Amino acid sequence: MRPTQAPFPSTRLRRMRASAALRDLAQENRLGVQDLIWPIFIRDGDNSEDPVTSMPGVSRMTIDRAVRAAERAANLGIPALCLFPYTDAALKTPECAEAWNPDNLSNRAIRAIKAAVPEIAVMTDVALDPYNSNGHDGLVRDGVILNDETVAALVRMALAQAEAGADILGPSDMMDGRIGAMRAALESAGFQNTTILSYAAKYASAFYGPFRDAVGASGALKGDKKTYQMNPGNSNEALRLIERDLREGADMVMVKPGMPYLDICRRVKDSFGVPTYAYQVSGEYAMIRGAANNGWINGEAVMMESLLCFKRAGCDGILTYFAPEAATLLGGKPL
Ligand code: PBG
């Protein structure tokens, strides 16, 4: 619907932009700390961090450091953390059994964070790639990524994460039927309140490159993920995937990557009106940070603008590596 307006000069749209106060009053969408989910990388060891080269400012943290990060996030008002484990190559196998080990790195981190900072929501990644010797999100036989066998493995993984205390399960694997299988297993195991944020519209994207370095999957990955992740040329298919996952019991849905896919965010929000999130992925972070570190853009301004634009596109929240920095800049006052 377009508002009725008088012709110029009765209407001068610049009037409402003339002062900060008027711009504030007329602002349609806002970014606040409550919109942020902070993805962090976890590694084994004590009291140390090592930087991710392709993501300046981001590091892999030992569990004790991750607990401190969770305390910092809670103090800043960030509602949720999302954990990604950097798994020792020796633990990666074609069967991926480490994925559902109740004491794997990720599950130990969930327990430690929930024990120390119970108010922060902990989100997980449900996919086999950190545990797979061939780097894929699913089990591989004769070069084929198996769907149904992978779903069974993902259900075991999801139950172990729920058992460890995860609040939000994030299936990022793109297998067919995994949401329904996970939801049924969670219900029958008594995890009625464990939520699922489905990576429903996840594209086969080159923007994930730095992430694969961060979790140590780059070297392992053979081939690409195009038989399970979406074709970047498609838009209607995203709606079919979202609808399917909602019918199977997803509580929230995600579009990923973020900035190049804001049109998908808008279509999803308009079509379904459900809690919708975007993932501003590692490559997007690296582009902004890299250009800022070279003095080519104003990093803080571009970061905040990029995050606000997700809200304008209809997202309820954003997974972003900028979360603590953005929250610090917001300082309790929405942008
Ligand atoms: C894998 C997974 C990926 C990301 C989140 N979970 C990478 C991939 O699909 O290869 C990417 C996140 C990012 O790039 O920041 N299950």
Side-chain angles (χ1 to χ4, degrees):
M1 188 195 59
R2 198 150 293 164
T4 312
Q5 52 195 18
F8 176 82
S10 300
T11 295
R12 286 180 185 270
L13 288 166
R14 288 187 58 193
R15 275 186 211 123
M16 286 300 289
R17 294 185 219 126
S19 69
L22 289 171
R23 289 192 296 273
D24 235 358
L25 280 172
Q27 186 168 328
E28 298 173 37
N29 298 285
R30 301 224 170 245
L31 174 75
V33 286
Q34 73 284 345
D35 299 318
L36 305 172
I37 300 177
W38 183 17
I40 61 171
F41 299 109
I42 316 282
R43 47 161 272 204
D44 251 320
D46 293 312
N47 198 23
S48 62
E49 297 187 22
D50 63 309
V52 179
T53 317
S54 49
M55 300 177 73
V58 171
S59 55
R60 307 179 188 94
M61 299 176 237
T62 53
I63 292 178
D64 45 1
R65 292 285 183 105
V67 168
R68 261 181 265 161
E71 285 160 358
R72 179 173 170 222
N75 287 335
L76 286 165
I78 295 171
L81 288 184
C82 183
L83 312 184
F84 292 99
Y86 174 86
T87 307
D88 190 336
L91 294 170
K92 298 185 190 206
T93 63
E95 295 76 33
C96 309
E98 182 64 7
W100 51 90
N101 174 357
D103 290 316
N104 70 19
L105 182 58
S106 169
N107 292 332
R108 279 184 281 127
I110 297 169
R111 286 198 190 87
I113 292 170
K114 290 305 289 185
V117 197
E119 69 273 25
I120 202 146
V122 173
M123 175 172 168
T124 62
D125 187 55
V126 189
L128 300 179
D129 54 324
Y131 311 100
N132 205 342
S133 43
N134 54 54
H136 277 291
D137 292 21
L139 300 168
V140 183
R141 192 189 301 140
D142 301 328
V144 174
I145 288 74
L146 304 173
N147 193 85
D148 301 8
E149 293 85 342
T150 299
V151 169
L154 294 171
V155 166
R156 296 178 77 175
M157 182 178 184
L159 286 172
Q161 293 174 347
E163 184 73 53
D167 302 280
I168 307 170
L169 304 183
S172 68
D173 55 288
M174 290 294 281
M175 297 299 123
D176 286 320
R178 86 273 207 227
I179 302 297
M182 269 175 219
R183 177 56 75 205
L186 290 168
E187 283 291 322
S188 53
F191 297 112
Q192 282 86 359
N193 289 324
T194 304
T195 63
I196 299 178
L197 198 179
S198 174
Y199 287 58
K202 177 172 176 179
Y203 287 84
S205 173
F207 284 94
Y208 307 149
F211 172 96
R212 293 179 191 165
D213 292 341
V215 297
S218 314
L221 182 63
K222 295 182 185 68
D224 58 46
K225 300 191 177 185
K226 292 179 183 172
T227 69
Y228 46 107
Q229 299 180 347
M230 278 182 71
N231 179 343
N234 292 356
S235 174
N236 293 325
E237 187 190 4
L239 302 187
R240 295 180 71 191
L241 285 160
I242 301 263
E243 181 173 24
R244 191 262 323 259
D245 284 4
L246 290 169
R247 285 188 194 281
E248 290 185 19
D251 303 285
M252 303 169 261
V253 294
M254 189 201 292
V255 174
K256 178 185 175 194
M259 268 167 63
Y261 297 86
L262 291 181
D263 57 320
I264 309 298
C265 298
R266 170 49 64 199
R267 285 193 79 188
V268 168
K269 191 62 179 184
D270 287 349
S271 303
F272 302 104
V274 297
T276 302
Y277 299 83
Y279 198 143
Q280 184 178 51
V281 300
S282 55
E284 300 175 63
Y285 173 89
M287 288 194 307
I288 295 175
R289 184 68 92 200
N293 287 354
N294 277 292
W296 297 334
I297 57 172
N298 176 336
E300 281 186 359
V302 171
M303 164 179 82
M304 299 310 267
E305 180 181 331
S306 70
L307 294 171
L308 176 61
C309 290
F310 285 106
K311 296 298 298 293
R312 191 204 60 232
C315 295
D316 295 285
I318 309 110
L319 285 92
T320 175
Y321 302 98
F322 287 123
E325 209 179 325
T328 305
L329 275 181
L330 287 165
K333 186 184 174 292
L335 180 72

